[in-house]
Amino acid sequence: MLQKPGAEEKVMSPDAKLQRDVLAELNWDPRLSAGHIGVTANAGLITLSGHTENYAEKYFAERAARRVKGVRGVTEEIVVQLGHLGGQTDEDITAAVVNRLCWDVSIPTGLITATVEDSWVTLTGEVPWRFEVEAAGKIAERTVGVLGVTNEVTIRPSVDAHNLEDEITHALHRSWFFDPKLVTVTVHGGNVTLTGVVPTISARKAAERTAWSARGVRHVENRISVAG
């Protein structure tokens, strides 16, 4: 007997459907070779297993899983197996990471130090902006021979917390995502807390991105709720 279109999906369990959707997303991402990555789902919680040939693929796999609708959390158990990309010594990796940090215009020269032990990179230092921390981490993650990255780079705190609070509030007022009057900004020593109610998840994320864009922000706690 022929099944109606979509009949198979109707009898599929939510976890089975979610597993299928995550696998499809992994295969859809051109940065991934997903053939060696396994996916299990349990009540919306995804576990990724298997192996990749570099640390960047491991990172992209987790990001791909998290953007699938219905995923509540991701446990990442992927192992990096360097294969033909292996053979680099810790000294080789250190030199490569330091060189790439020096040549990247988004990272201030001389503020970040890279240490490598057993192909694992640890980044330390202090920079003015959040995006500089993220940029340094991505450079290390995408360097050949790296098995893992610990990013301990911190953000230099703002000298004047009151000015920081005003700057973020004014930036929110320039946003077209939502009515900024619905969001309250509180700053203590470079730690920002956002509270209020906004109409969409996109608006909530936009408020957090706006806060992170201010110089000297060390941490953002987003307590904004979404209406409805």
Side-chain angles (χ1 to χ4, degrees):
M1 184 176 69
L2 294 176
Q3 285 185 316
K4 293 182 180 180
E8 181 181 349
E9 183 167 321
K10 289 182 180 179
V11 298
M12 185 180 291
S13 71
D15 281 340
K17 180 179 182 301
L18 189 60
Q19 179 190 37
R20 183 199 64 182
D21 290 347
V22 172
L23 283 168
E25 187 66 19
L26 292 174
N27 283 291
W28 180 259
D29 194 320
R31 298 168 297 185
L32 289 169
S33 299
H36 298 292
I37 300 176
V39 178
T40 59
N42 182 14
L45 304 178
I46 295 296
T47 299
L48 301 177
S49 58
H51 69 270
T52 60
E53 289 193 349
N54 56 70
Y55 186 82
E57 276 195 284
K58 178 177 177 176
Y59 170 81
F60 291 138
E62 182 177 346
R63 292 291 297 271
R66 289 189 183 280
R67 63 176 175 256
V68 174
K69 184 177 181 180
V71 171
R72 298 173 51 238
V74 176
T75 299
E76 191 270 287
E77 297 178 350
I78 297 171
V79 177
V80 178
Q81 295 180 355
L82 297 174
H84 70 283
L85 295 177
Q88 289 78 17
T89 66
D90 287 348
E91 290 77 11
D92 294 334
I93 297 171
T94 302
V97 172
V98 170
N99 188 53
R100 295 185 66 194
L101 289 172
C102 290
W103 280 91
D104 194 301
V105 295
S106 63
I107 299 173
T109 303
L111 297 185
I112 296 176
T113 300
T115 305
V116 181
E117 183 176 354
D118 296 331
S119 300
W120 194 285
V121 180
T122 300
L123 301 174
T124 56
E126 188 179 70
V127 294
W129 302 94
R130 169 74 172 185
F131 78 86
E132 295 166 339
V133 178
E134 295 174 345
K138 289 177 181 177
I139 283 176
E141 290 164 359
R142 298 177 187 182
T143 300
V144 173
V146 171
L147 290 178
V149 177
T150 300
N151 194 343
E152 297 180 350
V153 178
T154 59
I155 300 172
R156 186 178 301 140
S158 174
V159 175
D160 192 329
H162 179 73
N163 285 345
L164 183 59
E165 192 171 296
D166 287 344
E167 289 171 2
I168 295 173
T169 300
H170 291 155
L172 290 171
H173 276 268
R174 294 193 296 269
S175 174
W176 57 271
F177 276 98
F178 53 88
D179 181 355
K181 296 178 182 178
L182 300 177
V183 177
T184 300
V185 180
T186 307
V187 178
H188 294 287
N191 298 316
V192 179
T193 301
L194 303 175
T195 55
V197 180
V198 295
T200 65
I201 294 176
S202 295
R204 184 178 188 274
K205 291 180 178 178
E208 184 170 335
R209 286 196 303 271
T210 299
W212 272 121
S213 296
R215 176 188 286 269
V217 172
R218 308 185 76 175
H219 175 73
V220 176
E221 184 174 353
N222 192 345
R223 297 180 181 174
I224 297 172
S225 58
V226 178

